[in-house]
Amino acid sequence: MNVNLTQNNELSKLNCEKQGLCDIVTKYLGALKGGRQMSSLFPKRNGVPVMETLRVLCMAKMLGDSLLKAYRQGFYGAGDAKRGKNSFYLFRSNPKINWREVMARVALRLKSFIIKNNMAETKAPHCFIIDDTAIVKTGLKMERASKIHDHTDGRYKLGYKLLACAYFDGKSTICPDFALLRESKRNNYGLSDGQLEKQHSKERDEKCPEHKRLSETDASKLSVAPDMVKR
């Protein structure tokens, strides 16, 4: 899912200048990283700076660049020969990283930052927002992929349903939790038996964060939403 920077009032001031966006991401990740607390959530790998790797992945997604494209261009440090592109792929697919905890920590740091800078003074109601969106994919062999209903156009598409929990403080919206779900369970997930058999699958340690997220994929939105708010 690519971000259209030209439709964002604040980012449009940069005239989509990539270097300007890089500076902003670096600045705010530096303010929110929480030092050792954030770094402790990521396993160390060959001395690669964790927050620097996370910065590159965030900017690649915001700019709509593939990681390979960013690496080949040597853009915003992704082409650093010392690390190579594999370190970014391994980081992104590491099953030991608890991305739910990462999002929660970032949300808490951001909330503290807002309060510290008196940016949340408002009489508007504070509330949690639960919303879902379609993550469209093209690979039938992707693990737990299913036919999902895209409410934007009323069509069924292959992919996942992202259920997000956001907190609104009257001015800012912060997303501290998420879940990836699949749909069409009663209709064989919208796929044939042969297609389901060819989907990727692997055994996971029950203590691994990936195992917890995988166990949620068949849960209903109504059962997952309260758990996200409680966490």
Side-chain angles (χ1 to χ4, degrees), residues 95-99 205 207-214:
K96 296 182 180 180
I97 297 179
N98 190 341
W99 290 107
D205 187 342
K207 298 180 180 179
C208 179
E210 267 194 354
H211 184 275
K212 172 64 177 177
R213 294 198 302 270
L214 191 70

Side-chain angles (χ1 to χ4, degrees), residues 36-102:
R36 296 180 179 179
Q37 292 184 352
M38 278 295 292
S39 297
S40 65
L41 298 176
F42 303 96
K44 294 182 179 180
R45 179 181 292 275
N46 299 329
V48 177
V50 169
M51 298 310 297
E52 178 68 11
T53 303
L54 189 61
R55 177 183 72 90
V56 170
L57 293 175
C58 287
M59 289 190 295
K61 175 59 68 175
M62 294 179 68
L63 295 171
D65 291 339
S66 67
L67 191 55
L68 180 59
K69 177 182 178 181
Y71 169 76
R72 285 176 173 174
Q73 294 180 349
F75 198 61
Y76 41 74
D80 185 79
K82 180 180 178 181
R83 289 176 285 167
K85 64 180 183 299
N86 288 340
S87 62
F88 294 98
Y89 287 112
L90 291 172
F91 179 87
R92 192 170 59 181
S93 61
N94 193 323
K96 296 182 180 180
I97 297 179
N98 190 341
W99 290 107
R100 175 170 285 157
E101 181 68 16
V102 172

Side-chain angles (χ1 to χ4, degrees), residues 168-180:
F168 179 66
D169 63 7
K171 283 188 176 180
S172 306
T173 303
I174 306 171
C175 184
D177 206 350
F178 74 98
L180 284 176

Side-chain angles (χ1 to χ4, degrees), residues 9-205:
N9 291 333
E10 294 183 2
L11 295 179
S12 62
K13 297 178 182 178
L14 301 171
N15 293 321
C16 297
E17 293 181 2
K18 293 187 177 182
Q19 186 57 49
L21 180 59
C22 293
D23 294 340
I24 288 178
V25 173
T26 301
K27 175 183 177 181
Y28 285 99
L29 272 181
L32 298 174
K33 67 182 181 180
R36 296 180 179 179
Q37 292 184 352
M38 278 295 292
S39 297
S40 65
L41 298 176
F42 303 96
K44 294 182 179 180
R45 179 181 292 275
N46 299 329
V48 177
V50 169
M51 298 310 297
E52 178 68 11
T53 303
L54 189 61
R55 177 183 72 90
V56 170
L57 293 175
C58 287
M59 289 190 295
K61 175 59 68 175
M62 294 179 68
L63 295 171
D65 291 339
S66 67
L67 191 55
L68 180 59
K69 177 182 178 181
Y71 169 76
R72 285 176 173 174
Q73 294 180 349
F75 198 61
Y76 41 74
D80 185 79
K82 180 180 178 181
R83 289 176 285 167
K85 64 180 183 299
N86 288 340
S87 62
F88 294 98
Y89 287 112
L90 291 172
F91 179 87
R92 192 170 59 181
S93 61
N94 193 323
K96 296 182 180 180
I97 297 179
N98 190 341
W99 290 107
R100 175 170 285 157
E101 181 68 16
V102 172
M103 285 191 65
R105 292 281 186 92
V106 170
L108 288 173
R109 291 289 299 176
L110 182 57
K111 181 62 177 176
S112 299
F113 180 81
I114 291 173
I115 294 175
K116 182 179 179 180
N117 291 274
N118 298 319
M119 299 167 61
E121 296 181 2
T122 175
K123 295 182 179 180
H126 296 198
C127 62
F128 283 101
I129 303 170
I130 304 295
D131 194 18
D132 64 343
T133 186
I135 306 297
V136 180
K137 298 295 183 178
T138 57
L140 286 169
K141 295 183 180 181
M142 296 186 66
E143 189 173 26
R144 297 293 179 105
S146 69
K147 287 296 181 68
I148 56 172
H149 181 257
D150 188 347
H151 54 75
T152 59
D153 58 11
R155 299 174 61 186
Y156 282 87
K157 304 174 182 178
L158 180 69
Y160 305 93
K161 187 58 70 74
L162 172 64
L163 188 68
C165 173
Y167 174 72
F168 179 66
D169 63 7
K171 283 188 176 180
S172 306
T173 303
I174 306 171
C175 184
D177 206 350
F178 74 98
L180 284 176
L181 310 176
R182 60 178 178 174
E183 296 182 338
S184 306
K185 184 177 182 179
R186 294 181 180 179
N187 298 319
N188 212 33
Y189 304 103
L191 304 174
S192 67
D193 292 336
Q195 290 171 332
L196 284 175
E197 290 178 0
K198 292 180 180 180
Q199 284 191 343
H200 171 75
S201 64
K202 67 177 182 179
E203 295 293 331
R204 292 178 172 84
D205 187 342

